[in-house]
Amino acid sequence: MFNVARIPEPHCDTLSKPPDLSSQAARSIFLMVHDWCYSVTVYHPPASKSEPPRLLSPGLIEARLRAVVLDVEARLSIGEKPLPVGILSADDRDRWAENLQYLLSLSPVNQKSYQAMCHSAMGLSLDHTTYNIVPTPSSSNLPPSRIHPRTPSESSIDSHLHAIRGTTQNISNRFYDKAFTLIIDPSTRAGASGEHSPVDALVPSIVSEYGLVEGVDAEAFRTVELEENLLDGQGWERLEWVGDAKIKKECQLAMESAKVIVEDSDDRNYKLSPDAFIQMALQLAWYRYRGEFTATYETVLTRLFKHGRTETLRVFSRESRLWVLSMVDMKTSDAERFVLLQKAIASHTRRTREAMTGRGFDRHLLGLRLLLRPLNAESAALFEDELFERSSRWKLSTSGLSAGMLFKGTGFGTVYEDGFGINYLAAPDMVKFGIESKFSNPSTSTQAFKHAVDCAMKDMYTLCQTVELKDNQRNVLSHL
């Protein structure tokens, strides 16, 4: 996750090669402020080849960051404008690959800046704006799906989420190919953006939570003067970009495209009382919301294996279907519903274990599919079968992270325009959901689906409480 970046290539991206950790670039972070790029050294050179680089004091790192901010303010004061190349990384991958090659061909300066970005330990984006969601008046002409009543607490969390993900004000102050980027706005709200190809989402989540738990002792900021005397140079440098009319035009087009995506994203977080049946709640919520079933993707980690990443768990099953149907059938008793829920949970648990231990099949099929060479007329009937295609159309794309006790929320993008992307943090006494859909699709509404999930989890809680109460009553009567 550190010292790496995703490199756009035609048809299939690659990852940058890890640098020598003693190099200047590897000992630095990639900083973006007002769309300008900088490299800030945060590690001492290693004392010997056998020793790792040693982190500078928080005080000196802070001093260098302040120096960069002052440099940015000076550039702004004389009317200098940045070339917002970061926005190009938000564009279509093949188009970004083409633009990157052209950008690198313009000047060795661009090659140096790009390599510094790839080799840097991590990214840091200091945004110059604080994003706040403006309450939508009830008299608005917007469609009902876009009118979201929010409490002050909900507005704060949702504003934070949108700011980290990127808004029209700060979307070019990112390099989206960087594997891990810490993002901070002027109000000191902070979050992290992870690029999914080198690591699973759980990894940056754990790193972020570790940083919050460890904290920094205030005393560590007072050793700046002593340490500065031991170092040469200012410890930071500008990473310049040379552009021409074509690149400036491409930046403008990429910005317009990215704004459409950002403004179409119906992204919200919310919290519920604890419940251990999150995936079944999502199945019930979807059926009630859409009146049909859908293929559902859930991420399962295969980290038991060396280089293990993820496998697909297909949540929608025969057992989950029967349980959901029982919940909407008024003739079915609570006892019958509870038995069906137990079977659905048991089936889900069994298949989760199979996927974790290498007995899943979706990644295997994906590998076979990628080995096909369409240009040589290679094909496979299975991958062209309508049922197979429908079974992999993930209208519900879901992923769970750690408990995230210190996280205000989370986010996960939808795969299909008429579907939902759902990420959740399940803690002992609370479940936090991040739900995303598209404003442009009339069949989806994050607010409506949030309500459906809320109702589903409450109904499941009531079901379990009712059955448990009846069981306790029967146990008491049997002893009388």
Side-chain angles (χ1 to χ4, degrees), residues 6 14 41 91 93 100 125 172-173 184 198 202 211 223 228 256-257 264 268 308 332-333 363 371 384 388 419 424 457:
R6 184 180 184 182
T14 59
T41 304
D91 209 350
R93 298 305 298 176
L100 176 60
S125 290
S172 54
N173 199 47
I184 304 173
L202 185 62
T223 61
E228 276 188 321
E256 292 171 358
S257 176
D264 192 31
R268 299 196 69 179
T332 306
S333 68
R363 292 297 181 267
L371 287 173
E384 297 173 0
F388 178 82
Y424 52 87
M457 293 193 74

Side-chain angles (χ1 to χ4, degrees), residues 217-271:
D217 189 347
E219 190 65 30
F221 287 89
R222 300 175 183 173
T223 61
V224 180
E225 295 79 7
L226 175 63
E227 194 170 17
E228 276 188 321
N229 293 331
L230 303 176
L231 298 171
D232 295 325
Q234 60 184 1
W236 59 270
E237 63 175 322
R238 295 178 177 181
L239 297 179
E240 305 285 11
W241 299 94
V242 176
D244 59 8
K246 172 180 168 59
I247 285 296
K248 291 178 181 178
K249 179 65 175 178
E250 289 297 323
C251 287
Q252 180 183 349
L253 293 174
M255 177 69 77
E256 292 171 358
S257 176
K259 283 182 177 180
V260 170
I261 295 173
V262 166
E263 291 173 351
D264 192 31
S265 180
D266 187 5
D267 207 353
R268 299 196 69 179
N269 274 268
Y270 73 105
K271 304 174 183 179

